[in-house]
Amino acid sequence: DTSAPHHGRSLLSEEEIDTHLYGLAGPRVDLTDRTFVDHFEDRVREVPDAVAAVHGPVRWTYRELDGRANRVAHALLDAGVRTEDVVAVVMDRTLDWIAAALGVFKAGGVYLPVRPDFPADRVAAQFSRSECAFVLTEPGSATLARKAGELTGRAPTVLSVPEIQASGVSDAAPRVPIAPGQAAYIYFTSGSTGAPKGAMCEHAGMVNHLHMKLDDMEMTNGTAEVVTQTASQCFDISLWQFAAPLMVGGSVRVVDTDALLDVAGFLDEIVTGGVTVVQIVPSYLEVLLTHLEQHPRPLGALRTVSVTGEALKYELVQRWFALYPEIKLVNAYGATEVSDDTMHEVLDRVPDRDFVTVGRSLRNVNTYVLDQDLALVPLGSPGEIAFSGVCVGRGYINDEERTREAFVPDPFRDGTRMYRTGDFGRWLPEGRIEYLGRRDEQVKIRGFRIEIGEIENKLLALTGVREAAVVIDGTDDGQRNLVAFFSGGDGGARPDAEPTTERARDFLAGLLPEYMVPTYFHRLDRLPLTENGKVDKKALIRLAGTL
Ligand code: ADP
């Protein structure tokens, strides 16, 4: 019922909020009394000889992975790690890295992943900001860890994971109690909007999210569940990619970044590895589809493909279901600050509407769409998306100011904190949210309010357009222009209908009010991407300034 009163906080009772904004997500169920470590250790007892983790030819059982994680935990405890001490893991994506992360959790520490290919000053900034005093390394990353430690002026304790594994330290579970409200991990944002911030989340939010991944990906087949671990270790989605299968007795398959470039090889691994669940960013879905359209093949046990990180375009969904009507697509939406995803759109066919929503709230997540005074906007009107509930993380480590801006008291639920995403969206009648772009991309040009995301979505609808992004240039002298970038060659267009800048302009002029049609259009071979695989808008703004 979308005609009920809903504007302004005083009009809404808790029950009404539940009915209008939350009811469809199902009743609240506390899933947080047991942490991820508890669930993992249950599986170790139940299926010790089942395969837990695979990386190329390396294959570890639950018993083996657990033993290695326990050794790391004991070594950390012996080195003096206490509950909520930050432990950086500067390691490549290998099975040792997963054991190290599990070891940090088991020791009660806070897991901070760092990529060994990051520059030392960036690593040092993360160590300093998080007051990290313990670092786990491997031979290839020990020098970086030491150098970064020196730059901070307070050299942390550096422990080598291979040395820990070769030492005589116990492989029995350390049994350090972990409280649900205890901090679990920190991910530094990529800095796509300003300087990197260290978002810290708790075990309760982490395990709630993991349960929802298991539910919505229907991971009910225990040891038969196989999930690929493809994301960078510094992207928070890498966490559930290994943790979700380990919750149910399934296995994680680590896929190297290089191996993803060999699309046929990656598909071989999916088939031969019995992979059931894959998660990728939209730009990679596009790469996969382009390959599969030319070389169609069955995909073995694959049941669900989850897409995340940026808007999923409708056209990709159409192309997917044209090839694989029996494999679901899950559009997962969320932010690092709220323990990863907070909304899922589970698609088993092309949606009736001509765009893809970000779906419904995950269980125990409260979702609001707010105006700038943090009052609920009328259902269906655009506003900022905010989340409260178990998903909300601690905030940015040692950064009170930016924490205070984004993490505010929930105006609708006393004593609860709410995270303002900076994203715009609107409720659709059936409890789904339509994503409308980022707040920092919402602009006023000649007095008109413009949602950049809307222009991008329209441009993506032009035949042959593979990627599209719109940025604003010239913000200083008052003369602000919309600049559109796109790439073509998605295979949908005949050569004579390839999207040119003129075609793009004419197309948008036919669909949008004149003030929303970008002033400049540039076609690129490919749009630049961030290290997490999202369109790099900062790079495009710089590029716009030079073209
Ligand atoms: P980073 O800040 O490093 O890019 P996050 O994953 O925390 O990493 O980014 C969260 C933001 O990414 C969201 O606030 C939203 O703008 C965007 N995003 C994530 N998932 C989706 C999605 N499914 N559709 C549209 N945008 C998304």
Side-chain angles (χ1 to χ4, degrees), residues 202-434:
E202 298 173 349
H203 279 278
M206 173 180 166
V207 81
N208 189 73
H209 173 249
L210 287 170
H211 280 291
M212 292 306 100
K213 278 286 181 284
L214 299 179
D215 279 9
D216 286 343
M217 312 274 169
E218 294 172 58
M219 292 176 59
T220 53
N221 296 323
T223 53
E225 297 295 348
V226 183
V227 182
T228 50
Q229 198 295 299
T230 49
S232 154
Q233 59 275 54
C234 292
F235 192 178
D236 66 335
I237 67 173
S238 60
L239 186 64
W240 86 262
Q241 291 181 346
F242 71 74
L246 297 179
M247 290 263 286
V248 294
S251 59
V252 48
R253 281 189 91 92
V254 176
V255 181
D256 291 332
T257 308
D258 296 351
L260 286 174
L261 300 177
D262 167 19
V263 179
F266 178 51
L267 294 167
D268 288 344
E269 170 140 19
I270 288 175
V271 175
T272 56
V275 172
T276 54
V277 177
V278 161
Q279 186 192 38
I280 48 181
V281 289
S283 54
Y284 194 72
L285 177 62
E286 210 276 318
V287 171
L288 272 189
L289 271 166
T290 303
H291 177 93
L292 287 165
E293 281 160 354
Q294 279 150 24
H295 313 277
R297 60 189 286 188
L299 293 180
L302 187 64
R303 198 184 52 229
T304 305
V305 174
S306 172
V307 188
T308 194
E310 49 181 4
L312 172 60
K313 56 175 174 160
Y314 184 72
E315 187 238 319
L316 289 183
V317 177
Q318 287 176 306
R319 286 167 64 191
W320 180 261
F321 286 115
L323 286 179
Y324 298 104
E326 71 294 348
I327 302 178
K328 286 185 184 159
L329 277 183
V330 176
N331 185 23
Y333 162 80
T336 312
E337 290 85 341
V338 283
S339 314
D340 198 350
D341 293 315
T342 37
M343 307 201 79
H344 282 163
E345 172 70 312
V346 182
L347 296 170
D348 56 10
R349 62 194 162 86
V350 180
D352 297 333
R353 57 169 70 80
D354 63 357
F355 60 90
V356 185
T357 81
V358 292
R360 295 174 172 171
S361 308
L362 302 193
R363 194 171 280 212
N364 306 318
V365 169
N366 312 308
T367 306
Y368 308 121
V369 179
L370 305 172
D371 66 18
Q372 49 203 20
D373 300 323
L374 303 187
L376 296 168
V377 301
L379 289 183
S381 301
E384 183 179 358
I385 303 170
F387 295 108
S388 84
V390 65
C391 57
V392 178
R394 287 271 180 95
Y396 304 116
I397 187 151
N398 295 322
D399 191 342
E400 260 174 55
E401 195 182 321
R402 288 194 294 176
T403 300
R404 225 180 305 113
E405 282 164 16
F407 294 79
V408 300
D410 179 339
F412 314 103
R413 290 181 166 89
D414 278 347
T416 312
R417 285 174 327 127
M418 171 174 93
Y419 172 68
R420 304 180 60 175
T421 60
D423 291 332
F424 274 97
R426 68 170 142 245
W427 283 109
L428 302 172
E430 77 278 38
R432 292 187 157 82
I433 282 207
E434 178 185 4

Side-chain angles (χ1 to χ4, degrees), residues 6 13 80 97 122 159 195 243 258 275 311 374 382 387 461 468 478 483 501 532:
H6 42 244
S13 68
W97 156 67
R122 179 170 175 179
L159 301 173
D258 296 351
V275 172
L374 303 187
F387 295 108
V483 186
T501 52
N532 288 352

